[in-house]
Amino acid sequence: MRPVIVTGVTRAELAAVDQLAGLGAATVHEAIGRSGYLGPRLRPIQDGARIGGTAVTALCWPGDNLMIHAAAEQCQAGDVLVVTTTSPCADGMFGELLATSLAARGVRGLVIEAGVRDVAELRAMGFAVWSAAVSAQGTVKETAGAVNVPVSVGGQIVRPGDAIIADDDGVVCVPRGGVGPALAAARARAAKEEQNRKALADGQLGLDLYGLRDKLIARGVEWVTAEEYARGEADG
Amino acid sequence: MRPVIVTGVTRAELAAVDQLAGLGAATVHEAIGRSGYLGPRLRPIQDGARIGGTAVTALCWPGDNLMIHAAAEQCQAGDVLVVTTTSPCADGMFGELLATSLAARGVRGLVIEAGVRDVAELRAMGFAVWSAAVSAQGTVKETAGAVNVPVSVGGQIVRPGDAIIADDDGVVCVPRGGVGPALAAARARAAKEEQNRKALADGQLGLDLYGLRDKLIARGVEWVTAEEYARGEADG
Amino acid sequence: MRPVIVTGVTRAELAAVDQLAGLGAATVHEAIGRSGYLGPRLRPIQDGARIGGTAVTALCWPGDNLMIHAAAEQCQAGDVLVVTTTSPCADGMFGELLATSLAARGVRGLVIEAGVRDVAELRAMGFAVWSAAVSAQGTVKETAGAVNVPVSVGGQIVRPGDAIIADDDGVVCVPRGGVGPALAAARARAAKEEQNRKALADGQLGLDLYGLRDKLIARGVEWVTAEEYARGEADG
Amino acid sequence: MRPVIVTGVTRAELAAVDQLAGLGAATVHEAIGRSGYLGPRLRPIQDGARIGGTAVTALCWPGDNLMIHAAAEQCQAGDVLVVTTTSPCADGMFGELLATSLAARGVRGLVIEAGVRDVAELRAMGFAVWSAAVSAQGTVKETAGAVNVPVSVGGQIVRPGDAIIADDDGVVCVPRGGVGPALAAARARAAKEEQNRKALADGQLGLDLYGLRDKLIARGVEWVTAEEYARGEADG
Amino acid sequence: MRPVIVTGVTRAELAAVDQLAGLGAATVHEAIGRSGYLGPRLRPIQDGARIGGTAVTALCWPGDNLMIHAAAEQCQAGDVLVVTTTSPCADGMFGELLATSLAARGVRGLVIEAGVRDVAELRAMGFAVWSAAVSAQGTVKETAGAVNVPVSVGGQIVRPGDAIIADDDGVVCVPRGGVGPALAAARARAAKEEQNRKALADGQLGLDLYGLRDKLIARGVEWVTAEEYARGEADG
Amino acid sequence: MRPVIVTGVTRAELAAVDQLAGLGAATVHEAIGRSGYLGPRLRPIQDGARIGGTAVTALCWPGDNLMIHAAAEQCQAGDVLVVTTTSPCADGMFGELLATSLAARGVRGLVIEAGVRDVAELRAMGFAVWSAAVSAQGTVKETAGAVNVPVSVGGQIVRPGDAIIADDDGVVCVPRGGVGPALAAARARAAKEEQNRKALADGQLGLDLYGLRDKLIARGVEWVTAEEYARGEADG
């Protein structure tokens, strides 16, 4: 890892990111071909928050939050700070003071593949956080890492300037260049879902709505009565 | 695994299941001999829900929710859909649209040893869910599984038609044929607990109430003062 | 393990413990040299509780809560019961009836490296709990353990009479003899944080406030533009 | 759970089980429709063992091996003892003395969803074990469980008398009544694999051998050069 | 945590420790009342090693092995180095060069609740290691910790000078003052086991040898035939 | 995820990769600034293998190995196949037949963030594998993924054509463009280590060899006797 702080990062267009955020993480993830989801380990510390923003990335040493401080200077209004560590770490690397600093710069939230602390205070101040842990364990500020380099979080690659969409379902990353197409696809999907919602509420089955009945038959699935099934089990 | 959809399943009697539900998962679990608990990995996505119902089971391929759609058709009012996968999977296999479809059929909730998504929407519509994960990750509909076959969830066997009781403590399965005796035992236990609650609130100790003091002595437990203990430690 | 119940334990001074509790688990953990944190596996079952008290410890066999009943008798007003098991266990070893008994004695809460149940009832009665799991799984009362011996929880040693501080960030243990110095250090830290909070809210950076800019340079960190960085990557 | 020891269990025919064992766990698992695999948590404590036998099941309390002793009496030559616990447990519930006892009865091995100990001695005496853990932690003999009831292990249901096949790939359970068809299917599969092995060793591709090329195209997969791909990424 | 290196530690008597080691970790753990086992996460990187020695402890920051170097100076012939971290860490904190240094001082092995690397070289040089992970991930040497303070490893307290016994079953810690009684008890147990081994090899059952048959009956266990059991299941 | 198979990938120069491999994963990881390590979850299924090669990547759906077959066609002599899944999966996605096919093409080994099976056969044929699991569980061939796109494995980004170095310590990825500098740095490091090994074997301490003694003092570490320490503890 080159110990570097990259400045002057080009961001995804914020207006489009905001519109993506309105559609929610799951819909956006579907719209970009079921990709970009940062995994179920990243959970919100609050209920009901839904944010969008542009990624500033920080790569830290475990138990050391020095580079979060360095990343704060690179953050601007509309950003989401995305933090990971060189090896797995659950320490409370981020708390109320860092949140105060980021909020003063217009940062919209934090996504961290490690722990946070001061969660009562973070909730009270309305600073949105998705983290892999909550932990009172403090960190040192001793070891160099990197800011605004591509990072790997939850099996996905996040590049600085990418769009980050986060809500109760987790966090999705949309590559900077893909925000426009993602928005078009997500809107189309949302419209289609609205239509399906009505049909399903009226009692139609997904089996029919999505043409799955033939698929089941093609894959050899049979419908048998409970009685027939029990007889089959008994016969082995 | 035989790719089969079993129809015409006999359910536990719903009126008795409803009364079991009123007593709560932990009490029911005790009443049937401390069994049937589907394990601590299944957590509610909402606080305070308590439901009972009859199991419809679905066995899916990881990353594939085709059989949930097939199971929906087998669901009727009073059912709880119980979903598991052939190998561990945390993907968001169930969301708002499927919940809309199940709610239209009178299904009381979902128990899934995998992930769900659209949790903000599921909470808003009051559809009760116990899951092993929350995940925006979507699934395909490609691979055959089975509906209404016995499944193994959290170390317990769930058969179609069994009673499912779920609340903040988790999910308990009562075999269809055991609902009657379970109800009688659970009521007796609840009555006994009410009595004990009063004694304990009055300052009586469980040590005396349950006759544990003699048990401790029989097992060689000694009461020593802190001073005596410290002396013993020093002497090794 | 010697099967022993130690009586007459000397506690940390409760007035000082109460003042520590007011400062929060993370601040106290920092004040005692970043130690004493019982780890991220212990999570509150409720939001927003913050308690302090003196430790009564119980060491149980997995799946067996006999010694919790024995420990109840050793508890007095101001205590926090700290329970662990001889090998990892997620069973629901503690529920509403035990909480009723402890509440009647003035116990302030439970810290348990295992599971609890009746969480809806525990929340309703306002009994504060930090646990490693929630589980409906019941336990037996058959096997001897120990009460008020030193125990190891989450990588920390907890001795009977130590101060326990717990809130949304988790649980911190302060050795009985260290409560006085911890209080002085925690107050100093809180005052300093208050000052920093204002500077950060005004837009000052931690980089400057904590003198980290020179540290970064000393560790070989460079600031490069995104353009320069991309060029470097291409050149390998 | 009913505290019961079931005697006089009907076993799968041992000659057929032996032939299944010769084909290996993975082949047998495929032959019965990709089912019956007891999951990746069960690992062999030795390399290279491959056994088959008929299941005797024991359901124990965590930290308590009383029912293993009860199960030993139900074991006969050709059996494999299958042990699980009512809640997850990693303790060393089985060691050299129990193995000596089982070996004296002609038992072929142990499958345990908990821990074992004396592994050096078990390896030396050639007693085959698949376990979820190795642990020196001892257990008590206090709490009732069950012997020869259906149990749930690694997401599968194991019934007494079922065939157990275990090797370096893990453990597979074949329902007693399905051993005959499984053997026929497994042999056919092994023959087919032998044919494919030759073709693949000669340089043929699975893409062609299994007709997957058309499947890829049908699912919208495109072949693009690295240059084309890089251009697409740059354009977003 | 006080940043301190404690010198002049009193060790358990090495001759007695050596004799304990000969009896194995599981037997010693039983002999001291089923305690002292450092948990199933600590696994040997080699097969068949069995060592005993006196503990020198090191408490490190995650991702930082500075204090292992400080601990090396405190090690003498007959010691076992016991390393843990202030929060969970899987990094490769120890490798061939440190082992070379420790071997030169007569150290008998390493017990580390973190990762090691150079495992091929460590095996080749015969330096015995029990670790929680193997990892190529390197560490820095930046942050202070402590040497020869009491540490908590796998739920047990290890004090400098305690006896450490490690083999294929894992690691057991015997308090310094308890080595004498442990040796007497372990020898008695080993003798008793030898006697039982013969009886069991002759086909006697543990049920009878340990008087468990009456215990089962006292706990309400019934023996029923498979036919009776099936009938009971059908009746619910 | 775009369903794409990228052809004509430029590889790192194989002669240099081979020399890197000779130095081992840990040394290479250090030489490139402590980066590129694919994490401790990827473990070898065999002891003592050490390989180097150029990455062909495959991104699969969980429980589905269709894209491994597609990737095989893109493999050439000197490659290492690197497989991951869109969400975590432990299934046995790779076995002897696929290994036969890859071996016929001169592929040097497999790195897979999922499971493998047929491990006895893979060991026997000498095909080197690093995997996250061993599992008999089979997979389907139904869902499209991608071949030779950048993937994220164990917190690292692997691009097609990058150098892969794997041995008993795990797997390290060196970016294609960085192989030359990595080789120079790794050789220098190995030479330096050889020198240190001799000094340490002669009894010199790392404390002195690396100048750590002053670092400890600068960080406030004190040397105190056991007696002084005990007195300090007692005083609190």
Side-chain angles (χ1 to χ4, degrees), chain C residues 144-168:
Chain C
V147 171
N148 274 336
V149 299
V151 292
S152 161
V153 181
Q156 302 294 326
I157 303 170
V158 179
R159 292 185 178 81
D162 284 353
I164 301 293
I165 311 298
D167 62 18
D168 287 331

mmCIF file of all heavy atoms in Angstrom, chain C residues 144-168:
data_model
loop_
_atom_site.group_PDB
_atom_site.id
_atom_site.type_symbol
_atom_site.label_atom_id
_atom_site.label_comp_id
_atom_site.label_asym_id
_atom_site.label_seq_id
_atom_site.Cartn_x
_atom_site.Cartn_y
_atom_site.Cartn_z
ATOM 1 N N ALA C 144 -22.583 -27.394 39.246
ATOM 2 C CA ALA C 144 -21.970 -26.384 40.105
ATOM 3 C C ALA C 144 -21.012 -25.506 39.323
ATOM 4 O O ALA C 144 -20.358 -25.947 38.369
ATOM 5 C CB ALA C 144 -21.230 -27.072 41.242
ATOM 6 N N GLY C 145 -20.927 -24.257 39.724
ATOM 7 C CA GLY C 145 -19.960 -23.306 39.183
ATOM 8 C C GLY C 145 -19.429 -22.481 40.339
ATOM 9 O O GLY C 145 -19.195 -23.030 41.411
ATOM 10 N N ALA C 146 -19.268 -21.179 40.130
ATOM 11 C CA ALA C 146 -18.716 -20.348 41.194
ATOM 12 C C ALA C 146 -19.359 -18.971 41.176
ATOM 13 O O ALA C 146 -19.849 -18.519 40.145
ATOM 14 C CB ALA C 146 -17.212 -20.227 41.032
ATOM 15 N N VAL C 147 -19.374 -18.324 42.328
ATOM 16 C CA VAL C 147 -19.902 -16.970 42.456
ATOM 17 C C VAL C 147 -18.834 -16.099 43.111
ATOM 18 O O VAL C 147 -18.188 -16.522 44.069
ATOM 19 C CB VAL C 147 -21.190 -16.963 43.315
ATOM 20 C CG1 VAL C 147 -21.621 -15.531 43.652
ATOM 21 C CG2 VAL C 147 -22.306 -17.690 42.599
ATOM 22 N N ASN C 148 -18.673 -14.913 42.557
ATOM 23 C CA ASN C 148 -17.724 -13.925 43.099
ATOM 24 C C ASN C 148 -16.273 -14.385 43.069
ATOM 25 O O ASN C 148 -15.486 -14.067 43.955
ATOM 26 C CB ASN C 148 -18.150 -13.508 44.522
ATOM 27 C CG ASN C 148 -19.152 -12.366 44.474
ATOM 28 O OD1 ASN C 148 -19.188 -11.616 43.504
ATOM 29 N ND2 ASN C 148 -19.957 -12.228 45.504
ATOM 30 N N VAL C 149 -15.920 -15.129 42.022
ATOM 31 C CA VAL C 149 -14.504 -15.371 41.713
ATOM 32 C C VAL C 149 -14.141 -14.464 40.535
ATOM 33 O O VAL C 149 -15.027 -14.000 39.813
ATOM 34 C CB VAL C 149 -14.244 -16.854 41.336
ATOM 35 C CG1 VAL C 149 -14.614 -17.764 42.508
ATOM 36 C CG2 VAL C 149 -14.999 -17.244 40.082
ATOM 37 N N PRO C 150 -12.855 -14.181 40.319
ATOM 38 C CA PRO C 150 -12.482 -13.402 39.128
ATOM 39 C C PRO C 150 -12.898 -14.160 37.874
ATOM 40 O O PRO C 150 -12.725 -15.374 37.799
ATOM 41 C CB PRO C 150 -10.951 -13.307 39.230
ATOM 42 C CG PRO C 150 -10.622 -13.587 40.665
ATOM 43 C CD PRO C 150 -11.687 -14.533 41.140
ATOM 44 N N VAL C 151 -13.473 -13.462 36.893
ATOM 45 C CA VAL C 151 -13.860 -14.100 35.635
ATOM 46 C C VAL C 151 -13.248 -13.340 34.470
ATOM 47 O O VAL C 151 -12.844 -12.186 34.605
ATOM 48 C CB VAL C 151 -15.403 -14.149 35.468
ATOM 49 C CG1 VAL C 151 -16.023 -15.098 36.475
ATOM 50 C CG2 VAL C 151 -16.010 -12.763 35.566
ATOM 51 N N SER C 152 -13.196 -14.022 33.338
ATOM 52 C CA SER C 152 -12.649 -13.423 32.124
ATOM 53 C C SER C 152 -13.804 -13.245 31.138
ATOM 54 O O SER C 152 -14.434 -14.211 30.736
ATOM 55 C CB SER C 152 -11.579 -14.359 31.578
ATOM 56 O OG SER C 152 -11.317 -14.090 30.235
ATOM 57 N N VAL C 153 -14.086 -11.992 30.793
ATOM 58 C CA VAL C 153 -15.204 -11.691 29.882
ATOM 59 C C VAL C 153 -14.689 -10.817 28.741
ATOM 60 O O VAL C 153 -14.142 -9.739 28.984
ATOM 61 C CB VAL C 153 -16.336 -10.943 30.627
ATOM 62 C CG1 VAL C 153 -17.500 -10.656 29.694
ATOM 63 C CG2 VAL C 153 -16.809 -11.728 31.836
ATOM 64 N N GLY C 154 -14.860 -11.286 27.517
ATOM 65 C CA GLY C 154 -14.476 -10.466 26.363
ATOM 66 C C GLY C 154 -13.036 -10.027 26.408
ATOM 67 O O GLY C 154 -12.704 -8.922 25.985
ATOM 68 N N GLY C 155 -12.162 -10.877 26.913
ATOM 69 C CA GLY C 155 -10.739 -10.549 26.928
ATOM 70 C C GLY C 155 -10.313 -9.671 28.085
ATOM 71 O O GLY C 155 -9.174 -9.197 28.122
ATOM 72 N N GLN C 156 -11.203 -9.445 29.044
ATOM 73 C CA GLN C 156 -10.863 -8.638 30.217
ATOM 74 C C GLN C 156 -11.094 -9.449 31.487
ATOM 75 O O GLN C 156 -11.962 -10.327 31.502
ATOM 76 C CB GLN C 156 -11.719 -7.368 30.276
ATOM 77 C CG GLN C 156 -11.604 -6.494 29.049
ATOM 78 C CD GLN C 156 -10.208 -5.895 28.876
ATOM 79 O OE1 GLN C 156 -9.538 -5.582 29.856
ATOM 80 N NE2 GLN C 156 -9.780 -5.774 27.634
ATOM 81 N N ILE C 157 -10.397 -9.118 32.514
ATOM 82 C CA ILE C 157 -10.598 -9.759 33.813
ATOM 83 C C ILE C 157 -11.532 -8.890 34.648
ATOM 84 O O ILE C 157 -11.295 -7.698 34.814
ATOM 85 C CB ILE C 157 -9.241 -9.937 34.537
ATOM 86 C CG1 ILE C 157 -8.288 -10.764 33.651
ATOM 87 C CG2 ILE C 157 -9.444 -10.594 35.898
ATOM 88 C CD1 ILE C 157 -6.849 -10.793 34.139
ATOM 89 N N VAL C 158 -12.631 -9.482 35.113
ATOM 90 C CA VAL C 158 -13.562 -8.778 35.993
ATOM 91 C C VAL C 158 -13.492 -9.434 37.373
ATOM 92 O O VAL C 158 -13.681 -10.645 37.495
ATOM 93 C CB VAL C 158 -15.008 -8.851 35.462
ATOM 94 C CG1 VAL C 158 -15.974 -8.132 36.409
ATOM 95 C CG2 VAL C 158 -15.106 -8.270 34.058
ATOM 96 N N ARG C 159 -13.221 -8.605 38.396
ATOM 97 C CA ARG C 159 -13.162 -9.132 39.760
ATOM 98 C C ARG C 159 -14.385 -8.653 40.524
ATOM 99 O O ARG C 159 -14.886 -7.553 40.283
ATOM 100 C CB ARG C 159 -11.875 -8.655 40.447
ATOM 101 C CG ARG C 159 -10.613 -9.270 39.849
ATOM 102 C CD ARG C 159 -9.379 -8.872 40.641
ATOM 103 N NE ARG C 159 -8.182 -9.526 40.078
ATOM 104 C CZ ARG C 159 -7.523 -9.082 39.005
ATOM 105 N NH1 ARG C 159 -7.913 -7.988 38.395
ATOM 106 N NH2 ARG C 159 -6.465 -9.742 38.548
ATOM 107 N N PRO C 160 -14.884 -9.465 41.463
ATOM 108 C CA PRO C 160 -16.040 -9.018 42.239
ATOM 109 C C PRO C 160 -15.736 -7.697 42.921
ATOM 110 O O PRO C 160 -14.633 -7.499 43.439
ATOM 111 C CB PRO C 160 -16.247 -10.139 43.256
ATOM 112 C CG PRO C 160 -15.100 -11.060 43.123
ATOM 113 C CD PRO C 160 -14.412 -10.793 41.848
ATOM 114 N N GLY C 161 -16.703 -6.783 42.901
ATOM 115 C CA GLY C 161 -16.503 -5.483 43.520
ATOM 116 C C GLY C 161 -15.989 -4.420 42.575
ATOM 117 O O GLY C 161 -16.013 -3.233 42.905
ATOM 118 N N ASP C 162 -15.506 -4.814 41.369
ATOM 119 C CA ASP C 162 -15.069 -3.835 40.380
ATOM 120 C C ASP C 162 -16.258 -2.979 39.935
ATOM 121 O O ASP C 162 -17.415 -3.386 40.060
ATOM 122 C CB ASP C 162 -14.498 -4.549 39.134
ATOM 123 C CG ASP C 162 -13.093 -5.097 39.370
ATOM 124 O OD1 ASP C 162 -12.497 -4.819 40.432
ATOM 125 O OD2 ASP C 162 -12.584 -5.805 38.472
ATOM 126 N N ALA C 163 -15.955 -1.814 39.377
ATOM 127 C CA ALA C 163 -17.015 -0.959 38.835
ATOM 128 C C ALA C 163 -17.335 -1.378 37.399
ATOM 129 O O ALA C 163 -16.432 -1.651 36.610
ATOM 130 C CB ALA C 163 -16.580 0.497 38.858
ATOM 131 N N ILE C 164 -18.624 -1.448 37.102
ATOM 132 C CA ILE C 164 -19.097 -1.773 35.753
ATOM 133 C C ILE C 164 -19.856 -0.560 35.218
ATOM 134 O O ILE C 164 -20.785 -0.074 35.871
ATOM 135 C CB ILE C 164 -20.049 -2.988 35.796
ATOM 136 C CG1 ILE C 164 -19.344 -4.216 36.381
ATOM 137 C CG2 ILE C 164 -20.633 -3.283 34.424
ATOM 138 C CD1 ILE C 164 -18.230 -4.772 35.534
ATOM 139 N N ILE C 165 -19.448 -0.074 34.036
ATOM 140 C CA ILE C 165 -20.128 1.045 33.380
ATOM 141 C C ILE C 165 -20.644 0.522 32.048
ATOM 142 O O ILE C 165 -19.876 -0.039 31.273
ATOM 143 C CB ILE C 165 -19.156 2.227 33.119
ATOM 144 C CG1 ILE C 165 -18.357 2.578 34.383
ATOM 145 C CG2 ILE C 165 -19.902 3.425 32.541
ATOM 146 C CD1 ILE C 165 -19.185 3.045 35.544
ATOM 147 N N ALA C 166 -21.924 0.689 31.770
ATOM 148 C CA ALA C 166 -22.481 0.131 30.532
ATOM 149 C C ALA C 166 -23.443 1.115 29.894
ATOM 150 O O ALA C 166 -24.255 1.740 30.589
ATOM 151 C CB ALA C 166 -23.186 -1.192 30.824
ATOM 152 N N ASP C 167 -23.339 1.251 28.569
ATOM 153 C CA ASP C 167 -24.295 2.077 27.818
ATOM 154 C C ASP C 167 -24.388 1.553 26.385
ATOM 155 O O ASP C 167 -24.040 0.385 26.139
ATOM 156 C CB ASP C 167 -23.900 3.561 27.886
ATOM 157 C CG ASP C 167 -22.544 3.872 27.273
ATOM 158 O OD1 ASP C 167 -22.027 3.039 26.486
ATOM 159 O OD2 ASP C 167 -22.003 4.940 27.566
ATOM 160 N N ASP C 168 -24.867 2.376 25.456
ATOM 161 C CA ASP C 168 -25.058 1.897 24.079
ATOM 162 C C ASP C 168 -23.757 1.457 23.413
ATOM 163 O O ASP C 168 -23.785 0.733 22.419
ATOM 164 C CB ASP C 168 -25.717 3.001 23.234
ATOM 165 C CG ASP C 168 -27.176 3.197 23.585
ATOM 166 O OD1 ASP C 168 -27.823 2.229 24.020
ATOM 167 O OD2 ASP C 168 -27.684 4.321 23.423
#
